[in-house]
Amino acid sequence: MSLAPSELIINKDGSIYHLNILPEDIATTILFVGDQDRVPKVSKYFDTIEVKKEKREFVTHTGHLNGKRLTVISTGIGTDNIDIVLNELDALVNIDFNTRKIKEIHTPLNIIRIGTSGSIQPDIPVDSFLMSEYAIGFDGLLHFYNSKKSAFTNLVDAFMKHTNWSPKKAEPYIIKYNEELGKKLKSNHIRLGFTGTNTGFYAPQGRSLRLGVQDPDLNKKLSSFEYEKLKITNLEMETSGIYALSSLLNHKAVSLNCILANRSTGEFSKKPAEAMNDLIKYTLKKLTED
């Protein structure tokens, strides 16, 4: 069955609606960065760049490094943007734009997020790197899709009980990273973590400027939660959405976090740009080494 023009929106030049890119514009290994200004900070290390396109906050560069074709794309902030980016990237490789039909042969993508994050454990220092082995999503994105019963139901139940989770909020969900891709990116320089994905930067992460928060003790509850030696390590705003949609669409995904803040100690990195650049170089090296 062909997808209706209202569902699969294709621009006049044949590109996908929001991202403004063609199927041939992307590699099968794609780096996600939130900030559009971070895209050239990644692609400057490429040996060659063949594609440079942008629309709204979505900037895409595709090129080669050490013989490997790579794409880096800015997603913007939040799982709502991840919903757009991941669905449209999947459409580019798994839907025939001429017939508007889903292809019989599935093309898997390798998706690596390179992002910033804040630790909620005092022993995780600023400027360190963390790979999200698990992600717990407070965003509710997964619940809008048909998905199989989670393998982490007991963990979710324990978390909701520990935090006295408000029924007005979306029920949390937990997703694991792709172990095969994670193995390629692991080293002694990066720790594994359990990442919380929030729906916002201020109240959802326990910050209060002029508005009060629903649960002033939420961050303390998050940092004190433990289930079978598993503790929540850090907070950010995209990982659970990346893991959830990648899992449903049969893509491989890993989220790498540069810890710029420690919410437990109140510290913030004195060299955030340098720390992020180090994570970019680390990621590119691991992806392109034999």
Side-chain angles (χ1 to χ4, degrees), residues 213-230:
V213 299
Q214 179 268 331
D215 185 353
D217 296 321
L218 180 58
N219 278 7
K220 292 181 180 179
K221 295 175 182 177
L222 295 179
S223 62
S224 63
F225 174 69
E226 184 172 356
Y227 183 86
E228 296 182 352
K229 298 184 179 180
L230 192 62

Side-chain angles (χ1 to χ4, degrees), residues 27-29 45-48 50 63-70 284 287-290:
T28 55
T29 295
Y45 292 109
F46 292 179
D47 297 324
T48 59
E50 62 186 77
H64 288 82
L65 176 61
N66 296 337
K68 186 175 181 65
R69 193 168 188 246
L70 300 169
L284 292 174
L287 285 174
T288 59
E289 64 185 9
D290 294 332

Side-chain angles (χ1 to χ4, degrees), residues 115-119 124-129 207 257-263 265-279:
T116 59
S117 183
S119 166
I124 301 178
V126 297
D127 301 326
S128 64
F129 303 154
R207 291 183 175 92
N257 302 267
C258 181
I259 303 298
L260 294 187
N262 188 303
R263 302 295 301 282
T265 63
E267 296 175 89
F268 190 84
S269 173
K270 295 179 180 178
K271 50 176 185 177
E274 181 181 336
M276 176 52 69
N277 189 54
D278 287 344
L279 180 57

Side-chain angles (χ1 to χ4, degrees), residues 70-171:
L70 300 169
T71 292
V72 55
I73 185 168
S74 58
T75 64
I77 298 175
T79 56
D80 50 348
N81 273 22
I82 293 300
D83 182 64
I84 292 172
V85 175
L86 249 165
N87 274 289
E88 293 197 358
L89 288 174
D90 179 77
L92 287 168
V93 295
N94 289 313
I95 297 176
D96 187 318
F97 279 22
N98 293 317
T99 64
R100 294 180 169 273
K101 293 181 178 180
I102 297 172
K103 296 178 180 178
E104 293 184 5
I105 299 176
H106 172 258
T107 298
L109 298 172
N110 294 316
I111 296 168
I112 302 96
R113 171 186 177 269
I114 307 175
T116 59
S117 183
S119 166
I120 58 171
Q121 299 296 343
D123 64 331
I124 301 178
V126 297
D127 301 326
S128 64
F129 303 154
L130 182 146
M131 183 186 299
S132 303
E133 182 178 16
Y134 298 91
I136 179 168
F138 309 132
D139 52 281
L141 177 62
L142 179 63
H143 303 316
F144 287 90
Y145 292 90
N146 287 326
S147 59
K148 298 178 181 178
K149 185 177 180 181
S150 172
F152 303 105
T153 301
N154 291 339
L155 177 54
V156 171
D157 289 344
F159 171 82
M160 294 177 69
K161 181 179 180 180
H162 177 82
T163 57
N164 191 25
W165 194 254
S166 171
K168 294 181 179 180
K169 299 176 182 177
E171 180 179 314

Side-chain angles (χ1 to χ4, degrees), residues 133-258:
E133 182 178 16
Y134 298 91
I136 179 168
F138 309 132
D139 52 281
L141 177 62
L142 179 63
H143 303 316
F144 287 90
Y145 292 90
N146 287 326
S147 59
K148 298 178 181 178
K149 185 177 180 181
S150 172
F152 303 105
T153 301
N154 291 339
L155 177 54
V156 171
D157 289 344
F159 171 82
M160 294 177 69
K161 181 179 180 180
H162 177 82
T163 57
N164 191 25
W165 194 254
S166 171
K168 294 181 179 180
K169 299 176 182 177
E171 180 179 314
Y173 62 92
I174 296 173
I175 303 286
K176 192 174 182 180
Y177 73 161
N178 179 269
E179 293 185 18
E180 181 183 347
L181 184 56
K183 184 177 180 180
K184 183 172 183 60
L185 293 162
K186 283 180 183 177
S187 77
N188 293 330
H189 300 292
I190 193 162
R191 72 176 68 205
L192 295 178
F194 182 15
T195 297
T197 296
N198 301 88
T199 58
F201 186 76
Y202 287 95
Q205 295 191 36
R207 291 183 175 92
S208 177
L209 301 182
R210 291 207 313 123
L211 295 174
V213 299
Q214 179 268 331
D215 185 353
D217 296 321
L218 180 58
N219 278 7
K220 292 181 180 179
K221 295 175 182 177
L222 295 179
S223 62
S224 63
F225 174 69
E226 184 172 356
Y227 183 86
E228 296 182 352
K229 298 184 179 180
L230 192 62
K231 292 184 177 182
I232 298 175
T233 51
N234 62 304
L235 304 177
E236 49 72 75
M237 296 177 62
E238 291 87 32
T239 297
S240 65
I242 295 171
Y243 284 8
L245 295 186
S246 294
S247 177
L248 293 176
L249 292 165
N250 292 314
H251 300 303
K252 300 173 183 177
V254 167
S255 177
L256 301 179
N257 302 267
C258 181

